[in-house]
Amino acid sequence: YFHRSTTLPELLTIKSELLSELQDNTHSLPLNEEDKLVILELNSGGGSNISYYPDECVYIATDHWEGAKDFLEQNFQEESRLVLDRFLLTVPERLISVPDNSVSAVVCFHSLCSSSNVNLALLEILRVLKPGGKMYFIEHVRSKEAWSKIWFIQLNYALQMTVWDCHYGDFGSQIKRAGFSETHISERTLNFKGIRMMGPMQGLAPHIYGYAVK
């Protein structure tokens, strides 16, 4: 649930840069029959990202935590420019109630790490996206620097992360192989200096972010 509570400036900057075309309506994403943008957010939590979305978009939220719905509905009462179309209690690999080719954009921030089947989750995302639609993603990943401090931390806490329904994965490679027509992936190791990050949380520094087009 790293994305639900983090106020790390570096991560907030990445979010803002990724979603700027949604926020200022300069995107060229496919719209629905009513000429509205349809955004599906995976593992939405209480809606910490809704400030990045444009007015009058159709917003669908999913989360595998039942308590997220109450927080989300409360936030939408305060955010009158947006309407919550529906909340789905589900996981990224089970988007059964979302029709094929119905979504303009999928926002996937720290969601693949909690999926029990990442490849299936990516296939589901591709299925629900309209042609030309985008998946915007931010994920913490497995360190590529063998024998480094972060590599050892991830190795030592791999089992504990699994107990927390999370894991360090090679999500960049999986996104590239999923079948998108375009993938744009950047890598960054977040700077946790001066921030108290204990135990397995220290292994969250390596990140990828970007977007993929159906």
Side-chain angles (χ1 to χ4, degrees), residues 18-19 21-22 27-32 36-42 53-54 57-61 95 98 101-108 125-126 128-137 180 211-214:
L18 264 184
L19 301 179
E21 65 177 5
L22 300 183
H27 63 84
S28 56
L29 295 170
L31 307 178
N32 68 5
K36 291 186 176 181
L37 193 72
V38 181
I39 297 175
L40 171 66
E41 183 169 0
L42 307 179
Y53 304 146
C57 69
V58 178
Y59 178 73
I60 304 167
L95 303 176
V98 183
N101 305 311
S102 62
V103 173
S104 311
V106 172
V107 177
C108 181
I125 290 168
L126 274 167
V128 303
L129 275 173
K130 289 176 173 289
K134 288 183 180 180
M135 175 184 74
Y136 300 91
F137 59 88
F180 291 96
Y211 65 90
V213 182
K214 177 174 176 177

Side-chain angles (χ1 to χ4, degrees), residues 40-57:
L40 171 66
E41 183 169 0
L42 307 179
N43 288 7
S44 64
S48 61
N49 296 318
I50 60 177
S51 62
Y52 299 108
Y53 304 146
D55 296 354
E56 300 182 357
C57 69

Side-chain angles (χ1 to χ4, degrees), residues 10-196:
E10 193 174 0
L11 194 53
L12 295 179
T13 298
I14 293 173
K15 286 185 180 184
S16 183
E17 291 174 354
L18 264 184
L19 301 179
S20 61
E21 65 177 5
L22 300 183
Q23 200 168 24
D24 57 24
N25 250 334
T26 58
H27 63 84
S28 56
L29 295 170
L31 307 178
N32 68 5
E33 295 78 8
E34 299 174 348
D35 289 330
K36 291 186 176 181
L37 193 72
V38 181
I39 297 175
L40 171 66
E41 183 169 0
L42 307 179
N43 288 7
S44 64
S48 61
N49 296 318
I50 60 177
S51 62
Y52 299 108
Y53 304 146
D55 296 354
E56 300 182 357
C57 69
V58 178
Y59 178 73
I60 304 167
T62 80
D63 207 298
H64 58 274
W65 175 47
E66 191 171 2
K69 183 179 179 182
D70 293 335
F71 287 107
L72 192 63
E73 290 176 344
Q74 181 179 344
N75 279 338
F76 266 86
Q77 289 175 2
E78 300 168 1
E79 188 67 80
S80 57
R81 66 186 183 84
L82 297 179
V83 176
L84 175 61
D85 184 76
R86 62 191 185 277
F87 173 83
L88 305 174
L89 183 63
T90 190
V91 290
E93 61 270 25
R94 292 196 65 197
L95 303 176
I96 299 169
S97 59
V98 183
D100 297 359
N101 305 311
S102 62
V103 173
S104 311
V106 172
V107 177
C108 181
F109 289 173
H110 300 110
S111 298
L112 297 180
C113 61
S114 62
S115 172
S116 61
N117 190 328
V118 173
N119 291 327
L120 181 56
L122 290 168
L123 287 176
E124 277 289 85
I125 290 168
L126 274 167
R127 179 184 65 78
V128 303
L129 275 173
K130 289 176 173 289
K134 288 183 180 180
M135 175 184 74
Y136 300 91
F137 59 88
I138 302 174
E139 295 290 344
H140 62 80
V141 292
R142 186 183 304 130
S143 175
K144 293 182 178 180
E145 299 178 17
W147 313 110
S148 66
K149 179 182 177 182
I150 291 177
W151 186 86
F152 274 111
I153 290 170
Q154 291 183 344
L155 181 66
N156 290 336
Y157 287 105
L159 180 59
Q160 185 170 337
M161 291 293 285
T162 302
V163 172
W164 289 352
D165 290 327
C166 190
H167 66 283
Y168 309 111
D170 185 13
F171 303 127
S173 295
Q174 289 174 289
I175 291 170
K176 289 177 180 177
R177 295 195 303 264
F180 291 96
S181 64
E182 297 177 38
T183 55
H184 301 263
I185 302 176
S186 298
E187 300 179 3
R188 182 180 300 185
T189 299
L190 300 184
N191 183 6
F192 289 158
K193 188 175 181 179
I195 301 174
R196 189 177 177 84

